[in-house]
Amino acid sequence: MAESSNSRKRRKIDPDSQTRIQPETGPTRWRTQAEQQIYSSKLIDALRHVRRGGHGGVRDAADRVLAASARGRTRWSRAILTNRLSLRLAQINRKHKKAARPSAGKSRPRKPAKKLPPVESKVKVLSRLVPGCRKVSLPNLLEETTDYIAALEMQVKAMTFLTGLLNAGAAAPA
Amino acid sequence: MEPNVEAVQPQFRSGISGTKPGGMGFVFDDIHGLIPAPPETDGTSFTALLELPPPQAVELLVKEDFPAKSMPPPIFPSNIALIDRASMFSVFASADNPPESTNILSASSSMKTDSVKQEPLESEHHRKSSSPAVSNQSLKSIKRKEREIKVKESSKKSKKLEANEASDGSGEQLPYVHVRARRGQATDSHSLAERARREKINARMKLLQDLVPGCNKISGTAMVLDEIINHVQALQRQVEFLSMRLAAVNPRIDFNLDALIAVESESSIDNSYLGMFPPSIWPEGQLNSSRQQQPWLLDGLHPGRVDDTSNFITQENSLLSYDSPPNSASLHSSQLKMEL
């Protein structure tokens, strides 16, 4: 976050260096073919080591590789990389707990809505969608969302390409 | 918000061109009332004017016929950028030279010529400019009045509008920390900070709007946020779906890559590890990976990995070769090992 704010300051005060800075940071870096290549190759590697079965194993691997390609400059990428294990454990625990004791008291604190502004509630929804951005301020959240959307688009492109490639590879020799 | 500005500005322009004879008279009275006691909403319309493309702004300048006699003596803006813009307008406007706006034009042209002299003056007013230029003021007042006539907003709403306009204007022209208090706006630190915050948020919303398709036409923060949320959810669903498909193909991944690399090895492949991009084009389906991977990225991936169970080494496996001796299955991998 500090880095992003610094780069923002640099962008506004020193426009000459903008061309130097922006290819490294900012959502436009996800658009380059180079990034897509890097991501696809890493994804293939990661896919070999996906543990057998497990729902969303490939999805997690793909997200992890995406976060790794982000080079740690964004909050969501750091959150994905650090929360990997804890998220999985939490998912498993949640599944067991849900089956064991249906929680009755949990929904009550959420019901009284003290803040009705629709913008506020949408911001909360958005913060839940972007990983690791629950307690982030609005301008930073928007910045993270920008990067996240760009990264997701690249991920979709790369995965589509890979699927087509592998399917074609499977079909051709067979 | 910027969408509000866009919504308002066309109304304003149509208002000027449509109601020129009658509307101007109406506007004159308001100007007379305005000048001695300017309302709380200030010269943000000047920034709105700046945001307009020059010909349209000139149109506004030219078409507005207001008596220049009742204008107070010209006071110049403290921002050099504003001066340049105003001088630009004066250059355009002086070509047509309507009689009514000569005073303003002369003021702005004198601004242009005496810009050097005025700069020390402006530097005084640099921080707290409660004294914008005449043309600015008159234009501001006209635009503001038109807006209030057309849109019939409450004063609170117009304040918000102009706060947003100010934020848009100052965000794009002034350096980051420096937020100027415009004429008529509250200058206490709270509203300044609030304005700076708003301008940050609006700038990022604009970026997001560019990124998400179909968001440019929507006005209003809530709707735009809706679109953004939908887009993110759709992308996540797509990733989920694709990962399912990849998982279906996954068991055969080694086999597929085998076939692909075999095809690849026939063509010339650049095996250098020094980070040179292979000349193959990505959409053509060749799996030449870039050599630019840095070790720390691999460390990021490494903890998630079980032992290297792959029995097939491709060029992509150069990533793995640093940690475990791979089974060389092809000539390329042995070359890579030697390089490492």
Side-chain angles (χ1 to χ4, degrees), chain B residues 74-77 80 83-84 87 90 105-123:
Chain B
I75 312 165
F76 298 96
I80 300 173
I83 295 168
D84 291 337
S87 63
S90 69
L105 292 177
S106 63
S108 47
S109 59
S110 64
M111 234 164 38
K112 183 178 65 156
T113 53
D114 302 338
S115 59
V116 179
K117 239 197 279 176
Q118 301 306 330
E119 274 176 88
L121 258 181
E122 293 128 20
S123 59

Side-chain angles (χ1 to χ4, degrees), chain A residues 48, chain B residues 254 308-313 317 327-329:
Chain A
R48 295 164 194 277
Chain B
D254 298 337
D308 186 2
T309 56
S310 70
N311 51 6
F312 180 81
I313 307 303
N317 271 355
N327 308 322
S328 65

